[in-house]
Amino acid sequence: MIHLSVNRNSKASLKAYDVLFTQPVTASGLGKSERDSIIISAIVNDSGETLVLSRFGDPRWDLRPFFDQSNVGESGKFVSWDTSLPVELIDDCKSVAYAWFKRGLPGSKPPVARGITTLVGASVIPFVRWLSTLGVKRFSDIRPIHISNYIHQCKSESLRPLPLYSKLRIVDLLWIFSAETMHPLEQYPWGSSSLWRVSGVGETRGVSAANKNTGRTDIIPPDDQSKIFNYCEQVIRETKADLEASGVESFTRRSPKTIRCRDAVLYVSSITSGMRNEEVIGVDSGAWRKETVDGVTFCWVTTTEHRTGKGRVDYLVPELTLDALELLAKCTTPMRQELEAEVYELEQMAPSSRSAEHLLRLEKARKDSKRLFLCLNGSGNKSERLAHIEVLGQAGSNESFKRIAKAAGSDWPLRTHQCRRTYARCFVESRMGRTSLVFLKWQLKHSSMSMTQLYASNPLQDLTLFDEILQQMTEFKIDLIESWLDDQPLAGGAGSKIVELRAIPVKDRAALLAQTAPHANIRATGHGWCIATERGCGGAGLYEATRCPGCKHSVIDETFAGTWQGIYSQQRELMKIEDAGPAVKQRAERDLQVALDVINSLGLSPDDQELEEAVNG
């Protein structure tokens, strides 16, 4: 019998490696009793005894020992097989899920436990339940019309590509692992296509899809960012004052002010770092530091990255984030002390009498006692007698975000997964001259460093975050160039050429933009866009704005209308200075005309009073 090494990323102090290692990697060819007795999960107590948690034939698989992600609630660590559904369908899905968990796809590593729980909850049960309503009891009875109708039904739910891919995935796995099933699919389910294409995921990947928002996470609108961020800063300021006035003892497990502080710090930490929710929740108390290199101060937060298996990672954050984390660490001290007391109490029980549940709770309490983002039983609404403190989960984090958005006066449906992409977009817009509230807090020297320099500053950073930022840079350029090709008025030498190009028909503008935008050299000057690929003016236009409108590399769009209105007003004020010399007045008259030309090119006009004064001298 062939055996495989045990899954990675697990609780090393508990998992029964020896027992799990001896389990078969396939249920195929085994009798029912032998198959049902396969151990799915087990732990070892302090005496070295193996405690089996779940077996193949059980209606519920306990995958708790395999979870390392901090933000997964206990209920999300189980796989529940609906025993009311046809047994042949469920048994074959079990075989497929088990094979995938033990071996992985051909050429790929096995999935983490979360992949299995997601597969069963989001794909297996809905599909099997749908087949059951049609009277289908075996996968061998499925015909192409069934697959076609199911795809149509899933698409009618307006799912984005990735959720659609997840919902249809069991169909694909049933074909890939058909040798594992008692009643395999008889035909390839996707015809001449593939799950990748049927779900539309292929269209959300790569440069060719950079101009499409299909399947992409929503970016938090700037106005809502401002409201929520300002509210969170206000909460943090009030909490600091409260802490100084009343002391840490008043921040108890049920205190509303403890929850407000936690929620605010959770948002600030997420939006200023680009960390995923599981990484923010996984930050230990004190796991941050400052470093000064060549006169530049870097603030780092250390956590563990599970998604790609990188392990320990550092995220670069502004100093305000460290201050917020320090504050939360102080406010949650009483809760961590309660956890430490629980750990001590659990450790006093004789090792020989410790049950599996006791050992699992002890292990979790030990880990949670180091965390910052804590809550009471996830939702915090159970009775005091049964409640215990644990780390905040994904669902609890989203509830926290809903609370702070509402309290901030925003009706945006705020979710944790939106912060990473919003962070990347804010980073790009800050680099491209569009001020973001979040990055007003960023240290100035960081904003002048290149992406390469920032990444090279610490090799432990999450490279996929930089990939997200580069993706956002491409999307930003596409949106910008597309706006230039529309009907908005433009000024500047290059702007005039772009207006002329609008008359030329383009067969597929989207494809053209997707191919050219990533390579376009676009920089913000504060009063326009520079697209020079060579030396150009050498940067002189940054300090002398009126040089740009006549430059062949300049594009001035309506984004900078207010800037040029301001330049016009400044020149008017200069001309009113009586003791200014003739050179100053001559320069002001020249620049006034340049600004007026730009304003007129943008289809605007100066303030009526200023225009009248300009006309009448």
Side-chain angles (χ1 to χ4, degrees):
M1 184 179 294
I2 300 174
H3 298 94
L4 204 66
S5 61
V6 70
N7 251 29
R8 64 218 175 282
N9 296 338
S10 59
K11 300 179 179 179
S13 60
L14 286 181
K15 193 161 45 167
Y17 283 103
D18 291 343
V19 173
L20 295 175
F21 181 81
T22 61
Q23 300 307 299
V25 296
T26 177
S28 177
L30 300 179
K32 178 174 172 52
S33 61
E34 188 178 5
R35 182 188 59 189
D36 286 351
S37 65
I38 294 175
I39 297 174
I40 299 297
S41 58
I43 59 175
V44 176
N45 63 17
D46 295 335
S47 302
E49 298 174 324
T50 298
L51 305 177
V52 175
L53 299 178
S54 57
R55 297 180 182 273
F56 186 97
D58 294 343
R60 188 172 78 157
W61 290 359
D62 184 348
L63 302 183
R64 284 179 291 176
F66 299 99
F67 274 89
D68 282 323
Q69 295 94 334
S70 301
N71 66 335
V72 181
E74 291 300 282
S75 62
K77 299 176 182 179
F78 294 88
V79 172
S80 296
W81 300 100
D82 190 342
T83 55
S84 67
L85 298 174
V87 64
E88 293 92 343
L89 297 177
I90 291 296
D91 282 351
D92 277 348
C93 286
K94 279 186 173 184
S95 297
V96 167
Y98 179 74
W100 186 37
F101 190 43
K102 295 292 284 187
R103 306 200 305 268
L105 294 173
S108 301
K109 294 180 179 179
V112 295
R114 197 169 192 171
I116 301 300
T117 57
T118 300
L119 172 71
V120 177
S123 187
V124 171
I125 299 303
F127 183 51
V128 173
R129 188 171 290 140
W130 182 80
L131 291 175
S132 180
T133 61
L134 299 179
V136 176
K137 297 184 178 180
R138 296 179 177 180
F139 289 117
S140 57
D141 294 334
I142 290 179
R143 298 294 176 262
I145 188 64
H146 292 122
I147 301 297
S148 178
N149 287 342
Y150 189 63
I151 292 172
H152 177 75
Q153 175 174 309
C154 292
K155 287 186 174 182
S156 68
E157 298 173 9
S158 301
L159 297 175
R160 288 185 174 186
L162 287 176
L164 179 59
Y165 178 91
S166 295
K167 190 161 187 176
L168 294 173
R169 191 159 199 192
I170 184 57
V171 181
D172 204 47
L173 292 176
L174 281 166
W175 178 258
I176 294 172
F177 292 104
S178 59
E180 303 293 326
T181 60
M182 298 292 291
H183 309 284
L185 293 175
E186 295 187 353
Q187 298 182 52
Y188 179 64
W190 314 119
S192 59
S193 187
S194 65
L195 173 58
W196 187 261
R197 292 179 178 176
V198 167
S199 62
V201 171
E203 298 178 2
T204 69
R205 296 286 191 250
V207 172
S208 62
N211 64 315
K212 302 175 183 177
N213 200 37
T214 308
R216 302 290 288 169
T217 301
D218 291 326
I219 292 175
I220 306 167
D223 288 346
D224 294 283
Q225 285 186 53
S226 179
K227 289 179 182 178
I228 298 168
F229 194 87
N230 284 332
Y231 169 77
C232 290
E233 282 204 305
Q234 177 186 341
V235 170
I236 290 171
R237 286 193 299 270
E238 292 174 353
T239 303
K240 285 182 179 179
D242 191 354
L243 185 63
E244 291 179 3
S246 58
V248 71
E249 294 78 12
S250 63
F251 288 83
T252 61
R253 54 157 63 181
R254 292 185 180 274
S255 171
K257 62 185 182 181
T258 303
I259 296 173
R260 286 179 72 239
C261 176
R262 181 201 66 202
D263 294 352
V265 174
L266 178 62
Y267 178 77
V268 169
S269 301
S270 301
I271 201 66
T272 61
S273 66
M275 284 188 278
R276 303 177 184 90
N277 180 248
E278 68 179 66
E279 293 152 11
V280 179
I281 298 300
V283 173
D284 286 343
S285 178
W288 48 82
R289 67 189 187 281
K290 293 182 183 179
E291 294 177 350
T292 301
V293 181
D294 296 330
V296 180
T297 299
F298 296 88
C299 298
W300 301 106
V301 175
T302 301
T303 185
T304 304
E305 194 268 349
H306 296 286
R307 190 182 183 107
T308 63
K310 185 170 184 177
R312 178 193 165 185
V313 291
D314 287 345
Y315 282 90
L316 183 64
V317 299
E319 190 169 0
L320 74 94
T321 307
L322 297 196
D323 292 341
L325 291 171
E326 289 277 8
L327 176 66
L328 183 61
K330 293 176 182 177
C331 294
T332 53
T333 297
M335 298 180 76
R336 283 196 302 280
Q337 289 174 340
E338 284 193 56
L339 277 169
E340 290 168 359
E342 182 185 0
V343 169
Y344 177 78
E345 182 179 345
L346 291 170
E347 288 176 338
Q348 300 313 300
M349 182 176 291
S352 59
S353 60
R354 295 177 182 177
S355 66
E357 290 300 321
H358 179 102
L359 291 170
L360 288 167
R361 176 57 197 162
L362 175 58
E363 181 70 12
K364 180 168 173 55
R366 283 172 176 162
K367 287 190 174 184
D368 290 352
S369 66
K370 302 175 184 178
R371 307 296 193 208
L372 293 174
F373 299 95
L374 302 171
C375 64
L376 195 62
N377 277 335
S379 59
N381 59 0
K382 293 187 177 181
S383 68
E384 188 73 29
R385 182 177 62 84
L386 297 177
H388 57 249
I389 296 170
E390 61 188 23
V391 76
L392 192 67
Q394 175 87 55
S397 297
N398 279 322
E399 287 299 317
S400 295
F401 272 33
K402 285 170 62 176
R403 279 195 300 270
I404 60 174
K406 182 178 180 180
S410 168
D411 58 2
W412 176 256
L414 188 65
R415 297 293 183 271
T416 58
H417 64 274
Q418 297 165 358
C419 287
R420 186 175 173 92
R421 187 166 182 237
T422 300
Y423 168 91
R425 186 70 174 197
C426 288
F427 190 101
V428 167
E429 292 191 352
S430 177
R431 290 303 179 94
M432 297 299 285
R434 292 185 178 176
T435 303
S436 162
L437 177 70
V438 172
F439 287 91
L440 284 175
K441 310 294 183 179
W442 197 262
Q443 298 180 37
L444 182 60
K445 290 185 179 180
H446 292 165
S447 65
S448 64
M449 297 175 70
S450 69
M451 292 282 290
T452 303
Q453 288 173 315
L454 282 175
Y455 184 68
S457 64
N458 187 339
L460 290 177
Q461 293 181 84
D462 180 9
L463 181 58
T464 61
L465 178 58
F466 284 78
D467 292 338
E468 181 71 39
I469 291 172
L470 292 174
Q471 173 70 20
Q472 284 303 310
M473 180 65 79
T474 297
E475 292 186 19
F476 180 93
K477 291 179 179 179
I478 287 174
D479 293 342
L480 182 62
I481 298 174
E482 190 167 29
S483 73
W484 292 348
L485 295 175
D486 287 336
D487 296 331
Q488 72 158 315
L490 300 174
S496 300
K497 292 294 183 181
I498 291 173
V499 171
E500 294 175 7
L501 288 173
R502 292 172 180 168
I504 302 175
V506 178
K507 183 177 180 181
D508 190 343
R509 181 195 287 188
L512 177 64
L513 288 172
Q515 290 297 322
T516 58
H519 310 290
N521 192 21
I522 304 175
R523 300 176 302 284
T525 63
H527 43 264
W529 303 101
C530 178
I531 61 174
T533 54
E534 65 271 7
R535 179 175 174 80
C537 66
L542 289 170
Y543 310 102
E544 190 178 347
T546 52
R547 291 186 57 158
C548 291
C551 176
K552 65 179 181 179
H553 302 301
S554 172
V555 179
I556 302 173
D557 58 25
E558 55 192 11
T559 304
F560 301 98
T563 300
W564 285 97
Q565 292 274 14
I567 292 174
Y568 179 87
S569 298
Q570 291 167 3
Q571 306 314 309
R572 291 292 303 146
E573 292 174 6
L574 275 175
M575 292 175 63
K576 292 177 182 178
I577 300 176
E578 295 181 359
D579 57 349
V584 173
K585 288 193 174 183
Q586 185 179 7
R587 172 70 178 270
E589 288 174 356
R590 186 200 72 181
D591 289 352
L592 180 75
Q593 187 59 51
V594 171
L596 183 60
D597 290 344
V598 170
I599 293 170
N600 289 335
S601 295
L602 295 178
L604 304 171
S605 63
D607 180 78
D608 289 342
Q609 182 178 350
E610 291 184 343
L611 181 60
E612 184 178 349
E613 291 177 359
V615 171
N616 296 332

